[in-house]
Amino acid sequence: MLALLETMLASGRVPHAVLFSGQQGCGLYTLAVLFAGEVLSVGLPEHAAQVARQNAQKGIHPDLCVVQAEGASISVDQVRAVTSELYTLPNQGSYKVVLICDAQKMTAQAQNALLKALEEPPSHGVFILTADSPQGLLTTVRSRVMDFAIVPPPVDDCVAFFAGDSLPADQLRFISELFEGNIGRTMQYFGVTRQNLAAARFEQTSLRRVKSAKKPAAKTKSPAKKSEDGPRERLQMAMKLLAAVGAQQPAAVAGLIYRCKNRDELRLLLDDVVRLLPFAAKVRYQGAAVPPSLGELSGMGRIAPDRVMTCVQASCRYIERNANLALVQAQLAAALAQCYSGGSK
């Protein structure tokens, strides 16, 4: 994929619209910014090209417009504003770039406004979109962009990414496996900020290096305060929930479930429970080792993963039907209490 992008850039055949799609945490934004920097550096002398790349990563390039959701969606006014700007000539170089983050959040009106620009783009205009899935975009929009699917790196690469960051080795591998190599989500779990990881490597970042392209680079933020529904806290709550099931502690099971204040929080908790079930099955049926620093997870060997999955699936169906939250929680707590299955086989 990177080789194809490089070939297009080297030959001067820059596509007018590109979509990078994949799960959050896979470096979609990072790759989009890196590609934008390369586009903006086309035709410039080497020093000017390097400055263009760096300014794109810093978010200060005059020919790069970044669109993000304001609230839950990207409005038609936001899209119209940047598309009209795109028709003015570049301040530097040969191109102007519009980067739309989480493009699946565009309203239908916003996507139709984008479609008009995609159908008749200016010769110097390039659109770069990121989305969790192409299916979140209108078919007419999808048909006018080059879609590149981004997948997480192998687990070993994810572990290697954090080398030198003083993270517990056993937990790091365990969490990396849970998130299937997703570096961004692993970062969130350990509370590692983008500044911590990007600063020392910033100058080495390049579109031509797959590892670097996966590292968050440009859009730095101050560390946010942790909340009860953060990735780390939610996954730990799922761990405690399954451990409580294995320890035959129905009151603890109910208490953890009732901590969810709305259907969305409950659904996210259940997503993490599902994420943990393959590991629970390995502990129960294969005698897999539990990380020493997460010894409480040994109780997972005393649950029946298939029964837990059945309970979760039933609760998710109720959530999708907008069933009463308290009733869903009560049903789930009672059902999970029946998922204890004794020692490992």
Side-chain angles (χ1 to χ4, degrees):
M1 181 269 290
L2 293 178
L4 175 58
L5 291 174
E6 290 173 4
T7 300
M8 290 190 296
L9 289 168
S11 63
R13 299 195 310 272
V14 179
H16 77 275
V18 170
L19 169 64
F20 296 120
S21 60
Q23 59 183 251
Q24 291 187 0
C26 284
L28 299 180
Y29 175 81
T30 303
L31 183 54
V33 169
L34 290 169
F35 182 61
E38 295 293 332
V39 171
L40 294 169
S41 69
V42 169
L44 295 177
E46 182 54 37
H47 176 70
Q50 182 62 23
V51 172
R53 296 186 191 101
Q54 292 179 350
N55 286 342
Q57 293 186 44
K58 294 175 183 176
I60 60 174
H61 197 292
D63 293 323
L64 173 61
C65 297
V66 180
V67 181
Q68 294 177 309
E70 294 179 352
S73 63
I74 297 174
S75 69
V76 63
D77 290 337
Q78 288 178 271
V79 172
R80 284 173 177 165
V82 294
T83 53
S84 63
E85 174 67 21
L86 191 67
Y87 284 89
T88 62
L89 293 174
N91 295 282
Q92 305 170 5
S94 304
Y95 294 97
K96 296 191 87 167
V97 175
V98 170
L99 168 54
I100 302 180
C101 303
D102 297 319
Q104 77 278 359
K105 293 183 179 180
M106 286 189 291
T107 63
Q109 289 178 316
Q111 293 195 46
N112 282 319
L114 174 64
L115 180 61
K116 293 180 180 179
L118 292 176
E119 290 173 337
E120 298 180 1
S123 59
H124 60 266
V126 175
F127 287 95
I128 302 176
L129 284 62
T130 69
D132 54 12
S133 169
Q135 304 308 314
L137 301 176
L138 297 176
T139 303
T140 47
V141 172
R142 294 202 307 268
S143 67
R144 287 168 173 79
V145 300
M146 292 187 66
D147 179 18
F148 295 92
I150 311 301
V151 297
V155 171
D156 286 344
D157 286 357
C158 180
V159 172
F161 179 85
F162 294 93
D165 286 293
S166 302
L167 300 177
D170 58 343
Q171 282 194 45
L172 175 57
R173 177 157 290 278
F174 175 71
I175 297 301
S176 297
E177 289 178 350
L178 280 184
F179 290 127
E180 300 177 326
N182 188 308
I183 290 175
R185 290 181 176 174
T186 303
M187 287 175 65
Q188 289 181 325
Y189 177 84
F190 286 106
V192 180
T193 64
R194 292 182 174 186
Q195 294 96 323
N196 296 149
L197 290 172
R201 304 162 182 154
F202 181 80
E203 295 299 329
Q204 299 176 5
T205 304
S206 167
L207 178 65
R208 296 171 180 81
R209 296 180 57 182
V210 176
K211 267 192 168 182
S212 293
K214 289 187 172 72
K215 297 176 185 176
K219 197 176 180 182
T220 59
K221 296 182 180 179
S222 300
K225 293 182 179 179
K226 292 182 179 180
S227 61
E228 289 187 355
D229 60 353
R232 179 184 180 92
E233 291 75 18
R234 192 170 58 245
L235 183 58
Q236 289 178 335
M237 193 159 75
M239 293 177 182
K240 292 177 181 178
L241 178 61
L242 291 179
V245 172
Q248 291 185 290
Q249 297 174 336
V253 171
L256 289 164
I257 291 173
Y258 279 102
R259 280 180 58 183
C260 297
K261 303 297 192 298
N262 53 57
R263 296 185 190 89
D264 289 339
E265 287 187 9
L266 182 58
R267 181 58 186 262
L268 289 172
L269 173 63
L270 294 180
D271 286 345
D272 278 337
V273 168
V274 171
R275 193 187 309 280
L276 287 164
L277 286 180
F279 174 73
K282 289 180 181 178
V283 174
R284 175 167 173 75
Y285 299 114
Q286 301 174 20
V290 174
S293 56
L294 296 171
E296 68 273 12
L297 297 185
S298 59
M300 288 189 182
R302 296 188 293 273
I303 69 172
D306 54 339
R307 293 187 211 166
V308 174
M309 178 60 80
T310 299
C311 295
V312 168
Q313 290 173 335
S315 295
C316 288
R317 287 194 294 270
Y318 293 140
I319 291 172
E320 290 171 358
R321 296 169 185 167
N322 292 320
N324 180 274
L325 176 62
L327 291 178
V328 175
Q329 290 170 314
Q331 181 274 337
L332 178 61
L336 286 179
Q338 304 301 314
C339 292
Y340 173 79
S341 190
S344 61
K345 295 182 180 180

